[in-house]
Amino acid sequence: SVGKTERREGGAMTREDDPFKRGIEKLFGAYTYEDPDEDRHLDEQTLKVLAEDMSMVPDLLVWDEFWSTFSEKIRSKDGHISFHDFKKGLRNVAVVEFNKKKLYGTQYPSHDHRWRALCEYLNADDVQTLLSRTRRASAIVAERAAAAGGAGG
């Protein structure tokens, strides 16, 4: 039994050598702003815009299926999705989507293969290309920032 040992060649990626880590961080950051009272987070509406901009919705899943799959593994409080939960939710979307035998056969046998497939779909290893796809991010962030600032005065 291999257990939790991670292999470098063809096996699971460690956090240190994950070529998609920076892209996923930048994707989350593109749709969030630094609230003075809170950490960065997404809400369901902003996540939907992100999913549409990145063509996960409707090209991979319809929104209801995406949200159901994404939210199944997260514990958001007050509808706020942290970066940690964002990664967990995306990983669950990858695990469920790229396990569809009729579409993909058996080319993605493990959770890591499915995560890699989603990251490649998002261009997460190429930050410039990834960010070029975030069409509505700046408008969403400006809207959220204005709403937060406008509430105080």
Side-chain angles (χ1 to χ4, degrees):
S1 170
V2 175
K4 292 192 178 215
T5 304
E6 293 183 327
R7 298 177 316 270
R8 290 231 178 239
E9 291 181 33
M13 292 174 288
T14 62
R15 281 173 178 56
E16 295 76 35
D17 65 0
D18 181 354
F20 307 111
K21 182 177 185 282
R22 186 164 177 264
I24 297 299
E25 289 170 351
K26 292 289 186 183
L27 179 61
F28 181 80
Y31 288 86
T32 59
Y33 74 98
E34 196 75 49
D35 185 313
D37 301 326
E38 303 174 33
D39 293 330
R40 289 180 176 270
H41 67 271
L42 291 170
D43 57 33
E44 182 180 347
Q45 180 185 354
T46 305
L47 178 66
K48 184 176 184 186
V49 172
L50 181 156
E52 290 170 350
D53 283 356
M54 301 308 292
S55 301
M56 290 184 282
V57 172
D59 294 3
L60 294 180
L61 304 154
V62 296
W63 170 249
D64 289 344
E65 187 182 3
F66 181 94
W67 175 246
S68 171
T69 304
F70 182 94
S71 60
E72 182 177 73
K73 296 288 184 187
I74 64 170
R75 289 181 296 212
S76 73
K77 55 180 192 255
D78 305 326
H80 294 173
I81 302 163
S82 69
F83 178 66
H84 176 75
D85 282 341
F86 176 68
K87 287 191 308 186
K88 280 174 61 174
L90 278 185
R91 189 167 178 93
N92 200 49
V93 166
V95 165
V96 170
E97 172 59 21
F98 291 102
N99 192 35
K100 293 177 178 172
K101 301 278 189 270
K102 286 182 181 173
L103 293 175
Y104 308 108
T106 57
Q107 63 182 330
Y108 305 114
S110 74
H111 287 200
D112 281 328
H113 286 99
R114 295 175 201 149
W115 172 243
R116 176 177 283 279
L118 181 63
C119 288
E120 287 172 353
Y121 180 84
L122 296 173
N123 301 109
D125 57 338
D126 180 351
V127 174
Q128 282 303 114
T129 301
L130 172 89
L131 292 178
S132 74
R133 297 173 64 192
T134 59
R135 299 187 310 276
R136 297 179 287 170
S138 58
I140 287 279
V141 170
E143 182 183 301
R144 295 286 188 262

